[in-house]
Amino acid sequence: LLVIISSFGGKSYTFNVAYGVGKAGADRLASDMAIQLEKHNIDTVALYPGVVRTEGNVEMDRRGEWDKASGGLDLSMGESPQFSGRAVATLLADPASMKEQSGDVVVVAEMAQERGFTDID
């Protein structure tokens, strides 16, 4: 399984042009790789976490830069990085579902609701 971390920025304006174009490219990369790598039995997904409380984002918030950089997204309601890890582990535990979703965008929060896993907090 090849997992590319992307975001909703691949579908709608978020942060800036470079961010959106990069995420749209990541989505396309996952989709096209699924086609080319299928013969090698390799699955790919573009994983969409929500707002994530990464060390970098928490530091931006501490410095007072988060609100402007994020457009006012609420970092306190963000996901832990481990939540995305749980999504990947869930995919790996179900090869049939992994194959079915190959080339797709997988939204972490939606997958959690469907598959019954939670964030660390």
Side-chain angles (χ1 to χ4, degrees):
L1 175 64
L2 292 172
V3 178
I4 299 171
I5 304 299
S6 189
S7 84
F8 293 98
K11 305 248 185 240
S12 64
Y13 185 84
T14 306
F15 299 128
N16 55 57
V17 171
Y19 183 85
V21 170
K23 295 305 181 180
D27 296 351
R28 182 60 187 261
L29 179 63
S31 176
D32 288 0
M33 283 192 322
I35 294 166
Q36 286 197 329
L37 296 175
E38 182 177 23
K39 64 185 172 194
H40 301 290
N41 202 32
I42 298 172
D43 301 312
T44 67
V45 295
L47 194 67
Y48 276 25
V51 174
V52 180
R53 294 182 318 268
T54 64
E55 292 90 347
N57 288 346
V58 169
E59 179 61 19
M60 285 177 65
D61 191 43
R62 187 191 67 73
R63 292 190 312 254
E65 301 167 359
W66 173 255
D67 285 341
K68 183 177 179 185
S70 72
L73 296 173
D74 186 356
L75 187 58
S76 71
M77 299 299 295
E79 301 169 0
S80 73
Q82 292 90 333
F83 196 40
S84 292
R86 290 179 176 183
V88 173
T90 299
L91 281 170
L92 288 168
D94 186 357
S97 175
M98 189 170 62
K99 173 90 37 217
E100 181 180 307
Q101 291 184 289
S102 188
D104 291 348
V105 164
V106 175
V107 178
V108 173
E110 290 175 0
M111 179 187 238
Q113 286 184 326
E114 293 166 4
R115 306 294 263 308
F117 64 90
T118 60
D119 204 344
I120 60 172
D121 51 4

